[in-house]
mmCIF file of all heavy atoms in Angstrom:
data_model
loop_
_atom_site.group_PDB
_atom_site.id
_atom_site.type_symbol
_atom_site.label_atom_id
_atom_site.label_comp_id
_atom_site.label_asym_id
_atom_site.label_seq_id
_atom_site.Cartn_x
_atom_site.Cartn_y
_atom_site.Cartn_z
ATOM 1 N N THR A 181 15.539 5.342 -17.989
ATOM 2 C CA THR A 181 14.794 6.356 -17.244
ATOM 3 C C THR A 181 15.428 6.619 -15.879
ATOM 4 O O THR A 181 15.386 7.750 -15.391
ATOM 5 C CB THR A 181 13.313 5.958 -17.070
ATOM 6 O OG1 THR A 181 13.223 4.695 -16.425
ATOM 7 C CG2 THR A 181 12.591 5.919 -18.395
ATOM 8 N N GLU A 182 16.010 5.594 -15.286
ATOM 9 C CA GLU A 182 16.692 5.794 -13.997
ATOM 10 C C GLU A 182 17.873 6.742 -14.163
ATOM 11 O O GLU A 182 18.069 7.660 -13.357
ATOM 12 C CB GLU A 182 17.149 4.437 -13.472
ATOM 13 C CG GLU A 182 17.729 4.446 -12.083
ATOM 14 C CD GLU A 182 18.117 3.042 -11.661
ATOM 15 O OE1 GLU A 182 17.214 2.217 -11.439
ATOM 16 O OE2 GLU A 182 19.329 2.771 -11.588
ATOM 17 N N LYS A 183 18.657 6.521 -15.209
ATOM 18 C CA LYS A 183 19.812 7.385 -15.477
ATOM 19 C C LYS A 183 19.356 8.813 -15.788
ATOM 20 O O LYS A 183 19.904 9.784 -15.242
ATOM 21 C CB LYS A 183 20.601 6.815 -16.662
ATOM 22 C CG LYS A 183 21.814 7.594 -17.047
ATOM 23 C CD LYS A 183 22.505 6.940 -18.227
ATOM 24 C CE LYS A 183 22.954 8.015 -19.173
ATOM 25 N NZ LYS A 183 23.371 7.535 -20.454
ATOM 26 N N GLU A 184 18.346 8.948 -16.632
ATOM 27 C CA GLU A 184 17.852 10.279 -16.992
ATOM 28 C C GLU A 184 17.213 10.974 -15.799
ATOM 29 O O GLU A 184 17.326 12.193 -15.657
ATOM 30 C CB GLU A 184 16.865 10.168 -18.153
ATOM 31 C CG GLU A 184 17.530 9.770 -19.454
ATOM 32 C CD GLU A 184 16.553 9.516 -20.582
ATOM 33 O OE1 GLU A 184 15.335 9.477 -20.335
ATOM 34 O OE2 GLU A 184 17.009 9.349 -21.719
ATOM 35 N N GLU A 185 16.564 10.207 -14.936
ATOM 36 C CA GLU A 185 15.948 10.803 -13.747
ATOM 37 C C GLU A 185 17.015 11.369 -12.814
ATOM 38 O O GLU A 185 16.825 12.442 -12.225
ATOM 39 C CB GLU A 185 15.100 9.764 -13.022
ATOM 40 C CG GLU A 185 14.305 10.326 -11.877
ATOM 41 C CD GLU A 185 13.377 9.301 -11.259
ATOM 42 O OE1 GLU A 185 13.704 8.100 -11.305
ATOM 43 O OE2 GLU A 185 12.341 9.716 -10.732
ATOM 44 N N ARG A 186 18.130 10.665 -12.671
ATOM 45 C CA ARG A 186 19.229 11.184 -11.836
ATOM 46 C C ARG A 186 19.739 12.510 -12.384
ATOM 47 O O ARG A 186 19.974 13.452 -11.635
ATOM 48 C CB ARG A 186 20.362 10.166 -11.760
ATOM 49 C CG ARG A 186 20.150 9.083 -10.746
ATOM 50 C CD ARG A 186 21.433 8.333 -10.441
ATOM 51 N NE ARG A 186 22.095 7.775 -11.611
ATOM 52 C CZ ARG A 186 21.862 6.561 -12.101
ATOM 53 N NH1 ARG A 186 20.984 5.783 -11.520
ATOM 54 N NH2 ARG A 186 22.517 6.132 -13.165
ATOM 55 N N VAL A 187 19.907 12.585 -13.703
ATOM 56 C CA VAL A 187 20.407 13.806 -14.317
ATOM 57 C C VAL A 187 19.399 14.948 -14.120
ATOM 58 O O VAL A 187 19.779 16.062 -13.711
ATOM 59 C CB VAL A 187 20.685 13.588 -15.823
ATOM 60 C CG1 VAL A 187 21.001 14.896 -16.523
ATOM 61 C CG2 VAL A 187 21.817 12.599 -16.014
ATOM 62 N N LEU A 188 18.125 14.683 -14.377
ATOM 63 C CA LEU A 188 17.117 15.731 -14.224
ATOM 64 C C LEU A 188 16.954 16.155 -12.765
ATOM 65 O O LEU A 188 16.735 17.334 -12.493
ATOM 66 C CB LEU A 188 15.777 15.257 -14.781
ATOM 67 C CG LEU A 188 15.673 15.262 -16.303
ATOM 68 C CD1 LEU A 188 14.354 14.658 -16.739
ATOM 69 C CD2 LEU A 188 15.821 16.659 -16.851
ATOM 70 N N THR A 189 17.053 15.218 -11.862
ATOM 71 C CA THR A 189 16.953 15.555 -10.445
ATOM 72 C C THR A 189 18.108 16.452 -10.022
ATOM 73 O O THR A 189 17.927 17.402 -9.256
ATOM 74 C CB THR A 189 16.901 14.284 -9.583
ATOM 75 O OG1 THR A 189 15.822 13.461 -10.039
ATOM 76 C CG2 THR A 189 16.689 14.600 -8.119
ATOM 77 N N SER A 190 19.301 16.176 -10.546
ATOM 78 C CA SER A 190 20.437 17.055 -10.229
ATOM 79 C C SER A 190 20.229 18.449 -10.820
ATOM 80 O O SER A 190 20.573 19.445 -10.191
ATOM 81 C CB SER A 190 21.752 16.441 -10.723
ATOM 82 O OG SER A 190 21.831 16.502 -12.125
ATOM 83 N N PHE A 191 19.641 18.532 -12.026
ATOM 84 C CA PHE A 191 19.290 19.843 -12.597
ATOM 85 C C PHE A 191 18.288 20.557 -11.689
ATOM 86 O O PHE A 191 18.403 21.738 -11.427
ATOM 87 C CB PHE A 191 18.677 19.706 -13.981
ATOM 88 C CG PHE A 191 19.652 19.485 -15.081
ATOM 89 C CD1 PHE A 191 19.340 18.662 -16.132
ATOM 90 C CD2 PHE A 191 20.888 20.121 -15.091
ATOM 91 C CE1 PHE A 191 20.224 18.450 -17.175
ATOM 92 C CE2 PHE A 191 21.788 19.930 -16.129
ATOM 93 C CZ PHE A 191 21.458 19.086 -17.163
ATOM 94 N N GLN A 192 17.290 19.791 -11.233
ATOM 95 C CA GLN A 192 16.233 20.366 -10.412
ATOM 96 C C GLN A 192 16.785 20.926 -9.102
ATOM 97 O O GLN A 192 16.365 21.972 -8.633
ATOM 98 C CB GLN A 192 15.177 19.295 -10.132
ATOM 99 C CG GLN A 192 13.872 19.814 -9.636
ATOM 100 C CD GLN A 192 12.833 18.691 -9.566
ATOM 101 O OE1 GLN A 192 13.157 17.567 -9.210
ATOM 102 N NE2 GLN A 192 11.600 19.020 -9.892
ATOM 103 N N GLU A 193 17.753 20.226 -8.529
ATOM 104 C CA GLU A 193 18.360 20.689 -7.275
ATOM 105 C C GLU A 193 19.183 21.951 -7.479
ATOM 106 O O GLU A 193 19.320 22.751 -6.556
ATOM 107 C CB GLU A 193 19.221 19.589 -6.669
ATOM 108 C CG GLU A 193 18.411 18.414 -6.154
ATOM 109 C CD GLU A 193 19.274 17.212 -5.803
ATOM 110 O OE1 GLU A 193 20.496 17.265 -6.017
ATOM 111 O OE2 GLU A 193 18.697 16.216 -5.336
#
Side-chain angles (χ1 to χ4, degrees):
T181 57
E182 187 179 290
K183 180 180 139 192
E184 291 174 351
E185 187 175 29
R186 278 196 305 270
V187 171
L188 284 175
T189 305
S190 72
F191 281 144
Q192 196 173 38
E193 291 169 357

